[in-house]
Amino acid sequence: MPRIFFATDLHGSEMCWRKFLNAAKFYEAEILICGGDMTGKAMIPIVEENGHYTVTIAADRQVVSADQVGDIENQIRRKGYYPLHVTPERLQELDEDAEKRKETFQQIMLDGVRRWMNMASEKLRGSGVRIFVCPGNDDEMEVDDVVRESDMVELGEGQVVEIEGFKMISTGWSNHTPWNTHREETEEKLRERIEAMARNVSDFSHAIFNLHCPPYRSGLDEAPAIDADLKLLHGGRALRPVGSTAVRQMIDKHQPLLSLHGHIHESKGAVKLGKTLAINPGSAYEEGILMAAVINLDAKKGIKSYQLVNG
Amino acid sequence: MADTTMGSAGSRPTLFLRNATGLVKAWSTFDAFVYSFWSVNLITLGLYGMSYAYTVPDGQVLAAILLFGVLCTFLVVTYAMLVSVMPRTGGDYAWQSRVLGGGLGFVLSMTGWWFTLFLWAPIYANILVVQFFSPLAYTLGWTGVATFFTSQTGIFVSCLIVLAFVSIVVTMGMETYARIQKICFWIGIGGLVVVCGLLLFASPQDFQNAFNREATSLFGAPANAYQGTIDAASKTFTGSNFGSLAFGPLLLLLPWLAFYLLWPNWGATLYGEVRGAKDIRKPFWSMFWGLWVTVALVAFVVILINKTIGWNFYQSANAAYWNNLFAVQGAVAPPVPIWPYPVMFAGFLVNNHLFQALLIIVMGLWFFGWAGTLFLSSTRVIFAAAFDRVLPSWAANISAKRRVPYGALVLMIVPSIVISAIYAYKPDFTSVFLDATAVLALTFLATVVAAVVLPWRRKDLYDASPVARYKVAGVPLITVVGVITGLFLLFMLYEWSFNGDNLYGTSLQKTPNSVIYFVATYVVAVVIYVVAFYVRRRQGIDLNRIHHEIPVE
């Protein structure tokens, strides 16, 4: 019976992606699912000048030689950022031109995704392991095309896929957030999107909903309260449910066996919503820790067992 | 969508940030400070804890407070660094289990944050009685109510009130309670200004006159109750000199001060929910200022008590009250049969019972702004253990409608009611409650040990953290501050456990009930872990695997 390894919100952390691929062997999992938001949030310039390289990571400015640049790049990727090699002139150009920054960011980000897809092929081709990726609201639409090019990784978005007797539907779209990211829509449209996939599922006792956004008021969707200026309120300790009512309604209506979520990194947990086990493994990508869920499925029992891990 | 340029080294951009979920602006250090400030509550916990300082008559309280502040700062640095390396909900449990191992982490942290917190419910209830119900009732002339709350049933009712209040706060959620805390903070600070103003501008003679007047008016005490209190105390107490500077007694005061000053890190179990906690400055400054503002205010209040109330009288009143309550041989009842509450004493300086009652109510907000967090950290630790599958999954369940963590609440409230009943009706178990501070200190010690070895046990994690660059003579700073904190905690644990005079009422040799209770809690924690381990193994879950790092290459 399939053992699923589910992780989400890697946000460009190459260390987490490497662990994700190695999790198949480590946990003897046949199915790897990456739940979305795989691309990074920032790029860090490495400025080449007079034979040395200048970079600032977490407010720590370093000047390094050419043979140290590889280490610096690894440090940057580990945190989920993209290293960007530039001359001082190019840096100034990017600083002044938002359009060029956008183009550069997209290019470097898609190169990063391509690099990850190649790693997956090198690592797991011929292993029998299936890998699913479903880009999340933070991932630009172009990411889907790069995933489709992969000969190893399957794109989940909008699909109904068969996994050893279980059917999985996936979407990385979310309800609206204060950040106006790439895959956001109204609750009504999100509900229609999920319902359209759910129509192709006949037996929900063997169904998996892989929906990036967690269900509203489930305990998996508690994010720190912020004001209109995106400033954290009450020392960051005040939490509010920010999940999707559409996701909640779809789970309540169809009662799938399992629902997998991410999006809210701080809201790690596993809860029962009626017959559905809903899981958000959380995310600690910045530390290079891969928070994930290992789920053992059974054709008769449904979910035989599950475990949240910090690999 | 790359639309933000951040940071600069000289005039150059150092980071290009795109628009993405969760990119928020920093939280206010002041807001976090308020939470930390409440945890080392100067009035509620502080005055209560300091009322035991009479047991070390030659101990210089002012110097001890400052020394404690310095030593506790190392604890603050250690915890701030841990938060920065691993901002995890569950705090001590998460750090201990990830660094020292799942089983050890569970046993050490659960005994502290779960089983020992049961003991704090009746302690809170007793504070509520002596600082709120009892003085308020006496001031309003409701002698019957005041007497009821000092009875066994009254104490138990107070326990139930505390537990109900805590449950309501947990149900309301932290956002609502944070608002309540802020209101309590500002009004409470206003009340403290009034108290300090009264003590500052009154003379010792003013106070003696006021005390004698109210002792007769409110408590029916004979004339000159001021001297009567000192005389009553003298049967079991040799008197106290504020000017004494002997170093040994000063050190012996530290375990008493721990009762309220050891908790600036109380909110560390919640930092996993706080974005931006990786930046060490935020958790550090919030805990640091929480500690040091309290230290400064306590020092000021102590100076005012010495100036106006008189140090020897204040300590005599404490000695007379506690020694009579604990039935110390030779002790006699003081003329004013109530816990010596400096706020009430300050109120006596105004000859108006309505004003005095109002002052007690206002200062009572120091209790209500603080007590709600009693089980907040515990629920987070229980959640973390449930997510790790050591506890049943229902322990982390939250009700759909009101988001009440009913599983964790049941695990806290039900045993707390039983423990509260024991506290109220079985005085033989008093020593168990006096140990409540020590067991939490032991939990902190385990976390500190985890911090000391962190750079070697979780090298990758540590090296990637922002604190890895801080070193002292090549040794990681977290290890250095951890060792100093560890020695500080070990000193206090030694005194709590082995003090030859049983100064703290917790010496192992003289308190068999405490030893049995706490050994039992560790045994129960071990049993829970072992049972969980085998039950989960039958389900195909290996608890050892939770924290195993997946190879990168």
Side-chain angles (χ1 to χ4, degrees):
Chain A
M1 281 295 99
R3 173 174 289 173
I4 292 174
F5 181 86
F6 172 73
T8 182
D9 295 79
L10 274 52
H11 286 286
S13 167
E14 194 154 300
M15 182 173 228
C16 286
W17 179 255
R18 286 173 184 273
K19 286 182 174 180
F20 176 73
L21 297 176
N22 286 337
K25 187 178 176 189
F26 192 77
Y27 291 106
E28 297 170 346
E30 295 91 4
I31 310 293
L32 301 183
I33 301 171
C34 179
D37 284 2
M38 52 192 303
T39 52
K41 296 180 180 182
M43 52 187 182
I44 294 184
I46 301 174
V47 186
E48 184 180 359
E49 197 173 19
N50 304 325
H52 61 260
Y53 299 82
T54 307
V55 63
T56 302
I57 305 173
D60 183 21
R61 183 171 182 266
Q62 302 174 51
V63 180
V64 300
S65 58
D67 57 347
Q68 293 172 295
V69 168
D71 280 348
I72 291 291
E73 286 180 357
N74 286 338
Q75 273 185 50
I76 292 171
R77 287 199 180 101
R78 179 189 171 120
K79 289 176 181 296
Y81 303 145
Y82 298 109
L84 175 68
H85 283 270
V86 288
T87 61
E89 295 75 27
R90 174 68 174 157
L91 183 66
Q92 188 176 355
E93 187 182 22
L94 290 174
D95 191 26
E96 292 167 355
D97 190 333
E99 197 54 38
K100 281 193 175 150
R101 275 207 306 274
K102 183 179 172 183
E103 280 172 26
T104 305
F105 208 122
Q106 189 177 76
Q107 183 193 334
I108 205 167
M109 188 169 54
L110 294 178
D111 285 348
V113 175
R114 208 165 279 120
R115 182 184 156 89
W116 284 16
M117 296 302 109
N118 292 338
M119 275 186 213
S121 296
E122 286 167 19
K123 178 73 73 178
L124 293 172
R125 186 183 289 124
S127 64
V129 173
R130 291 179 73 182
I131 311 174
F132 296 94
V133 160
C134 181
N137 64 301
D138 272 343
D139 298 319
E140 296 187 19
M141 304 308 292
E142 290 79 0
V143 169
D144 294 23
D145 295 332
V146 178
V147 176
R148 278 192 199 98
E149 289 168 11
S150 171
D151 61 351
M152 185 67 215
V153 180
E154 299 174 53
L155 181 71
E157 178 60 51
Q159 306 293 314
V160 183
V161 295
E162 178 86 20
I163 301 175
E164 298 185 37
F166 296 85
K167 280 197 170 173
M168 180 172 80
I169 66 170
S170 305
T171 185
W173 285 76
S174 81
N175 53 348
H176 285 299
T177 76
W179 295 275
N180 191 25
T181 54
H182 306 280
R183 299 172 200 241
E184 295 180 13
E185 58 191 351
T186 62
E187 294 283 6
E188 192 179 351
K189 284 186 177 172
L190 184 55
R191 187 166 48 248
E192 285 167 12
R193 181 184 297 276
I194 299 167
E195 186 66 60
M197 288 186 285
R199 275 189 215 110
N200 298 310
V201 178
S202 53
D203 177 9
F204 286 96
S205 70
H206 281 66
I208 302 166
F209 281 13
N210 173 28
L211 311 173
H212 182 61
C213 194
Y216 182 66
R217 275 190 181 273
S218 59
L220 307 178
D221 66 329
E222 305 236 321
I226 53 176
D227 62 15
D229 195 31
L230 303 182
K231 190 177 173 188
L232 289 161
L233 296 171
H234 306 299
R237 287 187 179 78
L239 304 177
R240 283 180 191 162
V242 296
S244 160
T245 53
V247 169
R248 180 69 192 243
Q249 286 164 5
M250 288 295 98
I251 290 172
D252 287 345
K253 177 182 174 187
H254 295 298
Q255 292 282 285
L257 175 69
L258 174 68
S259 69
L260 303 170
H261 312 279
H263 195 44
I264 309 299
H265 304 177
E266 305 89 340
S267 210
K268 168 184 171 176
V271 295
K272 285 290 273 185
L273 302 172
K275 294 177 185 172
T276 304
L277 174 68
I279 294 177
N280 174 1
S283 172
Y285 72 93
E286 279 182 281
E287 295 133 64
I289 291 177
L290 185 63
M291 298 171 80
V294 181
I295 305 123
N296 293 312
L297 295 181
D298 184 281
K300 287 182 181 170
K301 287 184 180 175
I303 294 167
K304 187 181 172 194
S305 63
Y306 72 93
Q307 186 173 23
L308 302 184
V309 294
N310 313 289
Chain B
M1 187 191 297
D3 57 2
T4 313
T5 304
M6 286 181 71
S8 67
S11 58
R12 284 178 179 170
T14 57
L15 180 86
F16 294 121
L17 205 59
R18 74 186 175 106
N19 205 17
T21 318
L23 294 175
V24 294
K25 293 179 184 170
W27 32 281
S28 150
T29 304
F30 176 77
D31 287 350
F33 152 78
V34 170
Y35 190 89
S36 186
F37 181 72
W38 279 123
S39 302
V40 283
N41 193 312
L42 128 89
I43 297 298
T44 309
L45 274 177
L47 294 180
Y48 190 79
M50 278 204 305
S51 70
Y52 287 99
Y54 76 91
T55 56
V56 191
D58 296 328
Q60 218 295 328
V61 169
L62 208 53
I65 289 165
L66 294 174
L67 177 62
F68 198 104
V70 171
L71 292 171
C72 199
T73 300
F74 289 99
L75 177 84
V76 165
V77 176
T78 306
Y79 268 76
M81 290 183 123
L82 278 170
V83 167
S84 180
V85 177
M86 279 189 280
R88 288 283 172 281
T89 298
D92 293 273
Y93 169 69
W95 298 320
Q96 289 173 22
S97 54
R98 280 145 187 74
V99 178
L100 302 177
L104 197 58
F106 178 82
V107 171
L108 290 171
S109 57
M110 285 299 154
T111 43
W113 282 110
W114 186 10
F115 302 148
T116 303
L117 263 287
F118 304 153
L119 302 176
W120 281 89
I123 293 172
Y124 276 42
N126 198 39
I127 293 174
L128 183 62
V129 167
V130 300
Q131 294 191 359
F132 191 74
F133 288 136
S134 202
L136 185 62
Y138 270 120
T139 304
L140 294 173
W142 303 340
T143 312
V145 175
T147 310
F148 167 75
F149 274 110
T150 55
S151 69
Q152 291 183 329
T153 303
I155 293 285
F156 185 60
V157 168
S158 182
C159 290
L160 297 180
I161 291 170
V162 166
L163 291 172
F165 177 68
V166 169
S167 304
I168 289 167
V169 167
V170 173
T171 305
M172 283 189 311
M174 194 57 208
E175 183 166 6
T176 307
Y177 190 57
R179 286 198 193 97
I180 295 171
Q181 276 193 318
K182 257 190 185 169
I183 294 166
C184 291
F185 175 83
W186 288 116
I187 299 176
I189 287 287
L192 182 63
V193 169
V194 172
V195 168
C196 289
L198 289 169
L199 292 175
L200 183 64
F201 294 110
S203 69
Q205 193 56 51
D206 291 338
F207 176 73
Q208 284 186 33
N209 294 340
F211 183 84
N212 289 335
R213 183 191 68 237
E214 297 301 341
T216 304
S217 165
L218 297 178
F219 303 97
N224 201 2
Y226 186 92
Q227 188 57 46
T229 300
I230 294 172
D231 292 343
S234 68
K235 309 292 182 194
T236 54
F237 178 63
T238 56
S240 179
N241 178 9
F242 191 69
S244 170
L245 265 174
F247 190 63
L250 185 150
L251 291 180
L252 291 177
L253 279 174
L254 300 182
W256 280 130
L257 299 181
F259 181 76
Y260 70 103
L261 280 178
L262 192 61
W263 324 119
N265 57 341
W266 195 261
T269 49
L270 310 176
Y271 274 110
E273 295 159 357
V274 181
R275 288 196 189 203
K278 280 189 78 65
D279 177 358
I280 187 173
R281 289 170 298 183
K282 287 287 175 186
F284 172 75
W285 286 118
S286 55
M287 290 191 275
F288 177 87
W289 287 121
L291 172 68
W292 277 97
V293 169
T294 302
V295 165
L297 287 173
V298 171
F300 186 55
V301 169
V302 164
I303 289 168
L304 290 176
I305 288 174
N306 178 53
K307 173 199 155 295
T308 305
I309 296 176
W311 193 248
N312 185 50
F313 169 79
Y314 177 57
Q315 295 296 56
S316 294
N318 287 320
Y321 175 80
W322 287 120
N323 287 346
N324 181 56
L325 192 75
F326 292 141
V328 171
Q329 194 174 10
V332 296
V336 174
I338 190 170
W339 180 72
Y341 186 24
V343 168
M344 192 185 197
F345 289 174
F348 286 172
L349 290 163
V350 176
N351 188 8
N352 182 313
H353 288 171
L354 196 60
F355 170 84
Q356 291 169 12
L358 191 63
L359 190 62
I360 289 166
I361 290 169
V362 165
M363 293 304 280
L365 295 182
W366 283 81
F367 179 90
F368 292 104
W370 155 81
T373 59
L374 171 61
F375 290 159
L376 200 63
S377 297
S378 307
T379 55
R380 295 303 187 271
V381 174
I382 289 172
F383 279 9
F387 294 152
D388 281 353
R389 309 307 307 279
V390 183
L391 293 177
S393 51
W394 60 261
N397 277 1
I398 294 174
S399 70
K401 266 193 174 177
R402 299 195 62 83
R403 295 186 297 145
V404 179
Y406 58 85
L409 264 183
V410 165
L411 288 175
M412 292 306 300
I413 297 287
V414 173
S416 291
I417 292 173
V418 175
I419 294 288
S420 296
I422 292 172
Y423 176 83
Y425 296 106
K426 293 279 181 192
D428 294 350
F429 281 80
T430 306
S431 62
V432 176
F433 297 90
L434 294 174
D435 262 321
T437 307
V439 179
L440 275 175
L442 187 61
T443 301
F444 289 0
L445 179 66
T447 298
V448 166
V449 170
V452 168
V453 301
L454 175 69
W456 295 276
R457 291 276 295 178
R458 299 300 300 263
K459 190 173 186 311
D460 277 359
L461 196 61
Y462 177 77
D463 287 346
S465 75
V467 304
R469 59 188 151 153
Y470 301 122
K471 291 186 175 176
V472 178
V475 180
L477 180 62
I478 193 170
T479 301
V480 175
V481 294
V483 167
I484 296 170
T485 310
L487 291 173
F488 170 46
L489 293 171
L490 275 173
F491 164 74
M492 291 196 294
L493 285 165
Y494 176 82
E495 288 296 335
W496 277 315
S497 305
F498 303 109
N499 184 279
D501 299 327
N502 192 21
L503 192 62
Y504 312 99
T506 54
S507 292
L508 299 181
Q509 278 187 321
K510 297 185 178 172
T511 56
N513 283 341
S514 297
V515 177
I516 292 166
Y517 178 85
F518 287 108
V519 169
T521 61
Y522 284 99
V523 170
V524 169
V526 169
V527 168
I528 290 174
Y529 189 81
V530 170
V531 169
F533 187 87
Y534 286 104
V535 168
R536 295 305 185 200
R537 197 161 76 169
R538 280 172 49 199
Q539 296 171 341
I541 297 170
D542 180 1
L543 291 186
N544 280 331
R545 220 171 42 178
I546 297 168
H547 311 300
H548 277 190
E549 191 167 1
I550 304 169
V552 179
E553 299 306 330

